[in-house]
Amino acid sequence: MQCGSIEMKKEYHGVIEAVNTRVPVMFITGPVGAGKTTVAAGVSELLESAGIAHAFVDIDSLRWYYPSPAHDRFRTELAMKNLAAVWANFQAAGIPRLVLADVLESREDLVQYRTAVAGADILVVRLQAALATLLTRLRIREIGTGLDWHLRRAAVLSQQMDRDKVEDILVDTDGKSVAAVAREILTRSKWVGKPDVS
């Protein structure tokens, strides 16, 4: 059995038949400031325009609580429990595929997403930008006390992701609009042939 499929049982006139069910999952990642959430929302809009049923989840929205447990500073454990619950509801509504936005530091971390989304066939798309671009975006976005932390985190993650190559598809975002990046992702991933959005 491959990681991207699960075995399910269907019954036809008393005969049990095994079938494989897979859930296409597009995982958009990158360092802080790369534009994961914004680009994932753009991808979602293009999928909607193409009439492709899907759900979009920004994992940060599932981990936003205080205080963090000492053993899980990024609150990943609860985020995955929440993802499993949310996906179950989407699946019950007939949604066949999923777009996620989150920081992925290691390919090994995909195991927890496959646990939360049974049958997940995950395609990792990493957004890349020059460090100067990331820092500029963060200085515009982060107006609170967390700016210094985000600036340091961007530098660390950018270097780490360049080294470890967590992605299946790498997309450079420097000098490109969100719409252009989203179109490139959908074309290269083959989720949509040529999104008809200007």
Side-chain angles (χ1 to χ4, degrees), residues 168-187:
D168 300 302
I169 296 174
L170 178 64
V171 178
D172 186 6
T173 65
D174 270 311
K176 298 177 184 175
S177 69
V178 172
V181 172
R183 285 195 301 268
E184 180 179 344
I185 289 170
L186 286 177
T187 300

Side-chain angles (χ1 to χ4, degrees), residues 140-172:
I140 294 170
R141 186 188 83 185
E142 298 296 328
I143 59 175
T145 58
L147 175 60
D148 288 343
W149 182 89
H150 281 88
L151 294 176
R152 291 193 300 272
R153 182 80 171 140
V156 169
L157 284 174
S158 183
Q159 183 178 39
Q160 179 180 324
M161 289 179 173
D162 283 344
R163 181 192 69 218
D164 295 343
K165 312 293 185 191
V166 297
E167 73 278 357
D168 300 302
I169 296 174
L170 178 64
V171 178
D172 186 6

Side-chain angles (χ1 to χ4, degrees), residues 30-198:
V32 293
K36 298 179 292 297
T37 302
T38 304
V39 168
V43 165
S44 178
E45 290 175 3
L46 291 180
L47 289 172
E48 182 178 345
S49 296
I52 297 174
H54 70 286
F56 162 45
V57 178
D58 178 2
I59 298 297
D60 277 348
S61 68
L62 304 181
R63 61 160 53 96
W64 200 318
Y65 72 95
Y66 176 86
S68 300
H71 69 282
D72 187 11
R73 67 178 178 140
F74 293 121
R75 304 173 293 278
T76 302
E77 186 176 306
L78 185 59
M80 292 301 102
K81 289 180 181 177
N82 288 338
L83 176 60
V86 169
W87 173 244
N89 291 331
F90 281 133
Q91 201 168 36
I95 303 302
R97 62 178 65 203
L98 181 61
V99 177
L100 296 176
D102 198 11
V103 170
L104 181 68
E105 295 193 47
S106 166
R107 293 288 296 194
E108 286 71 30
D109 291 340
L110 290 175
V111 171
Q112 59 199 353
Y113 295 90
R114 292 191 177 104
T115 299
V117 180
D121 185 2
I122 302 175
L123 175 75
V124 179
V125 178
R126 177 165 68 98
L127 305 181
Q128 181 184 49
L131 182 56
T133 301
L134 298 177
L135 299 183
T136 297
R137 291 173 182 170
L138 288 169
R139 288 189 178 100
I140 294 170
R141 186 188 83 185
E142 298 296 328
I143 59 175
T145 58
L147 175 60
D148 288 343
W149 182 89
H150 281 88
L151 294 176
R152 291 193 300 272
R153 182 80 171 140
V156 169
L157 284 174
S158 183
Q159 183 178 39
Q160 179 180 324
M161 289 179 173
D162 283 344
R163 181 192 69 218
D164 295 343
K165 312 293 185 191
V166 297
E167 73 278 357
D168 300 302
I169 296 174
L170 178 64
V171 178
D172 186 6
T173 65
D174 270 311
K176 298 177 184 175
S177 69
V178 172
V181 172
R183 285 195 301 268
E184 180 179 344
I185 289 170
L186 286 177
T187 300
R188 291 177 62 189
S189 68
K190 297 182 171 56
W191 271 35
V192 172
K194 291 183 180 178
D196 186 20
V197 176
S198 59

